[in-house]
Amino acid sequence: MEGPLSRLSISENKNRHYGAEDDSKFIQTAIDLKQTLDPTHSLRRPLYWTLPFWQQIPTFLQLPLLFPPSDLIDSLVTLFLDTTNTQLCLLHGPSVRRDIANGIHYTSREFGSVVLAVCAVASRVSTDPRVGDGHSAGWQWYSQIHPLDPVNYVSPGCLWDLQLFPLMVLYMYGLSVADQCWLFVGMGIRLAQDMGVHRKRRTNEPWTPHDESLRRAWWVLITIDVYASAMFGCVRATNSDEFDADFPLQVDDAYWPGELLADPIQPWTQPPGIPSQATAWVLHLKLLEIYGFAQKTIYSVKRSDFWDALSTAEWGHNVAVELDSALNKWIDAMPDHLRWDPHHPSEASAVLYTTYYWVQIQIHRPFITNADRSFSSIAVCTNAARSCAHVLQAHFTAFESIPLPNMLAAMLYSAIVLLLNAANSHSEGAIATPRDLEDVYKLIEVLRSHEGRWQVAGRYQ
């Protein structure tokens, strides 16, 4: 159905994605019937099938992009690839470096915008004085990006368009306009759906680095969509039952087809004994899928009447129990190299475990603040908050940077749970310990240590 429906496009572009909705099938049936009954009308009439000049949006005057000096671009790109990109795997490092070396950012505004966004995100962890001071670090490059020019979307987007939105959100989250992240990730997801990136591949053509980069951009958008909707209390732009794209391949950049270390006979092969960085990210995605189900059930705005017919009065607690079981299976399947060791912390492990404890808190949080409080949920939230606080403290003792912005939210949620538990320490079921307030103070100190570059860290205090 997707092939024939491409003929319904008012443009001649074949790269847009068309789903298999009932209305589309109905229209296609009519088209097929008309061609059978009257073949003379099978040709398109230009008046109705071509884009007239007055509908062609003019290109607005765009100022030339101003880039950092070459040495600073190299420094910031390396910094991004060695920090944020190790956790989200958005960009294929070797391809980005080659395109920069070939000057593509000077000739392509789309790629130039990606480079500027990378420089902006990396500025937060850079010590180079040229990136700017305090909260404005990187703003000189971010402020040049304008993804909403209508002329950009007359035709389907490209890979660089897709990569730009999550990069913008990663930078925007640290500013005073963090709530706009939800809007931008929604735009990115709509663009990806228009390109068909959210669907499973239906052909047997060889999988290319471009294909994998598109798929990784999609999953980064999904990751941010989950967090943005949770942090700002907004509906998600899409849900897991609306896409079937496979998880990213667990193959490091150096082993992609065309790279020097790639296996020419068996492409997309990670060498035995060398864990892929993408493994941690795929585990992260699976963890967010568990939380995604909680968003659709426990946190649903309006519960259908069918739920009451199919479930019991304790359906919410039952969902929490099932999700707890899924979390247990997730943590049991953790590879040895990613298991948390407070004596030898790693950034990948810290991200996974803080997210794990944050998801635990999110699943049980609705059952600890109402009149019908659950002691078991109080215990789960409190223990998760304590464990999360300890992981965060160990991580920031060993590392200075914030691998992903969601760690800031994990600090906030953990501190709130511990404060609530301490405040109710004399009520029935409270399980506060003297260390709870100590952990809260330590989390506040971590937030304070990052408020110089992360405006949102100052807000969370």
Side-chain angles (χ1 to χ4, degrees), residues 289-451:
E289 279 198 332
I290 297 174
Y291 176 59
F293 187 77
Q295 289 180 306
K296 291 183 61 177
T297 52
I298 298 174
Y299 285 95
S300 60
V301 176
K302 180 181 178 181
R303 186 156 59 101
S304 170
D305 294 338
F306 292 110
W307 275 103
D308 295 327
L310 297 174
S311 59
T312 66
E314 298 295 319
W315 74 273
H317 291 281
N318 294 340
V319 170
V321 170
E322 289 300 316
L323 294 175
D324 282 338
S325 176
L327 288 176
N328 290 335
K329 293 177 181 178
W330 181 88
I331 200 74
D332 290 342
M334 183 73 67
D336 290 339
H337 74 280
L338 291 174
R339 292 193 176 276
W340 175 250
D341 182 353
H343 303 293
H344 301 90
S346 71
E347 289 195 329
S349 181
V351 168
L352 287 174
Y353 277 77
T354 54
T355 304
Y356 168 75
Y357 294 126
W358 176 79
V359 170
Q360 277 192 318
I361 292 172
Q362 289 292 85
I363 289 173
H364 288 272
R365 182 165 58 87
F367 310 113
I368 69 172
T369 56
N370 53 32
D372 186 23
R373 293 192 300 165
S374 165
F375 176 78
S376 61
S377 290
I378 294 174
V380 169
C381 285
T382 303
N383 290 330
R386 289 171 180 161
S387 298
C388 189
H390 298 162
V391 171
L392 289 166
Q393 292 168 32
H395 168 77
F396 287 109
T397 299
F399 305 97
E400 294 183 0
S401 64
I402 299 175
L404 288 180
N406 66 290
M407 295 186 82
L408 292 169
M411 293 183 218
L412 174 65
Y413 283 74
S414 298
I416 290 175
V417 169
L418 293 176
L419 282 173
L420 288 174
N421 192 59
N424 297 320
S425 59
H426 299 294
S427 64
E428 182 179 358
I431 48 177
T433 68
R435 188 175 177 183
D436 286 346
L437 285 179
E438 181 182 345
D439 287 338
V440 171
Y441 293 137
K442 288 183 177 179
L443 290 175
I444 292 175
E445 284 300 317
V446 174
L447 287 170
R448 184 173 293 120
S449 68
H450 289 91
E451 67 179 9

Side-chain angles (χ1 to χ4, degrees), residues 71-396:
D71 67 307
L72 185 55
I73 290 181
D74 292 340
S75 171
L76 293 174
V77 168
T78 297
L79 200 55
F80 176 84
L81 294 176
D82 290 344
T83 53
T84 304
N85 204 63
T86 62
Q87 306 304 321
L88 288 181
C89 304
L90 173 63
L91 303 181
H92 180 238
S95 295
V96 172
R97 293 183 188 279
R98 282 192 294 267
D99 289 340
I100 291 176
N102 291 330
I104 304 299
H105 55 303
Y106 294 123
T107 59
S108 168
R109 194 171 189 90
E110 291 80 7
F111 182 62
S113 297
V114 168
V115 172
L116 288 177
V118 167
C119 291
V121 173
S123 293
R124 284 219 173 90
V125 291
S126 173
T127 58
D128 194 306
R130 293 176 291 178
V131 302
D133 299 323
H135 300 153
S136 65
W139 180 257
Q140 57 186 309
W141 303 306
Y142 178 84
S143 61
Q144 300 180 57
I145 302 171
H146 301 285
L148 301 182
D149 185 345
V151 74
N152 292 345
Y153 305 110
V154 172
S155 299
C158 65
L159 170 62
W160 294 326
D161 291 325
L162 211 56
Q163 292 171 333
L164 180 61
F165 281 100
L167 288 168
M168 293 183 68
V169 171
L170 287 171
Y171 182 77
M172 193 185 307
Y173 180 74
L175 303 177
S176 60
V177 292
D179 51 348
Q180 294 183 14
C181 294
W182 177 73
L183 296 173
F184 275 82
V185 71
M187 295 174 191
I189 285 177
R190 287 291 175 261
L191 178 64
Q193 290 171 331
D194 184 52
M195 298 167 63
V197 181
H198 63 303
R199 297 306 308 273
K200 187 187 293 290
R201 182 79 164 267
R202 294 290 188 265
T203 67
N204 294 323
E205 297 177 4
W207 194 249
T208 67
H210 183 264
D211 295 326
E212 181 66 14
S213 295
L214 285 171
R215 183 162 63 184
R216 293 191 173 202
W218 167 256
W219 281 108
V220 174
L221 287 166
I222 292 301
T223 301
I224 298 175
D225 186 32
V226 173
Y227 284 121
S229 62
M231 294 174 188
F232 304 117
C234 301
V235 66
R236 284 182 57 180
T238 189
N239 289 292
S240 59
D241 55 357
E242 297 171 344
F243 60 87
D244 60 356
D246 292 327
F247 284 124
L249 295 176
Q250 297 179 40
V251 180
D252 287 338
D253 290 358
Y255 308 109
W256 285 27
E259 302 303 325
L260 292 176
L261 299 180
D263 189 329
I265 300 176
Q266 294 182 316
W268 300 108
T269 301
Q270 181 77 10
I274 302 178
S276 171
Q277 288 182 343
T279 298
W281 185 35
V282 171
L283 286 170
H284 194 162
L285 295 173
K286 293 179 179 180
L287 182 57
L288 294 183
E289 279 198 332
I290 297 174
Y291 176 59
F293 187 77
Q295 289 180 306
K296 291 183 61 177
T297 52
I298 298 174
Y299 285 95
S300 60
V301 176
K302 180 181 178 181
R303 186 156 59 101
S304 170
D305 294 338
F306 292 110
W307 275 103
D308 295 327
L310 297 174
S311 59
T312 66
E314 298 295 319
W315 74 273
H317 291 281
N318 294 340
V319 170
V321 170
E322 289 300 316
L323 294 175
D324 282 338
S325 176
L327 288 176
N328 290 335
K329 293 177 181 178
W330 181 88
I331 200 74
D332 290 342
M334 183 73 67
D336 290 339
H337 74 280
L338 291 174
R339 292 193 176 276
W340 175 250
D341 182 353
H343 303 293
H344 301 90
S346 71
E347 289 195 329
S349 181
V351 168
L352 287 174
Y353 277 77
T354 54
T355 304
Y356 168 75
Y357 294 126
W358 176 79
V359 170
Q360 277 192 318
I361 292 172
Q362 289 292 85
I363 289 173
H364 288 272
R365 182 165 58 87
F367 310 113
I368 69 172
T369 56
N370 53 32
D372 186 23
R373 293 192 300 165
S374 165
F375 176 78
S376 61
S377 290
I378 294 174
V380 169
C381 285
T382 303
N383 290 330
R386 289 171 180 161
S387 298
C388 189
H390 298 162
V391 171
L392 289 166
Q393 292 168 32
H395 168 77
F396 287 109

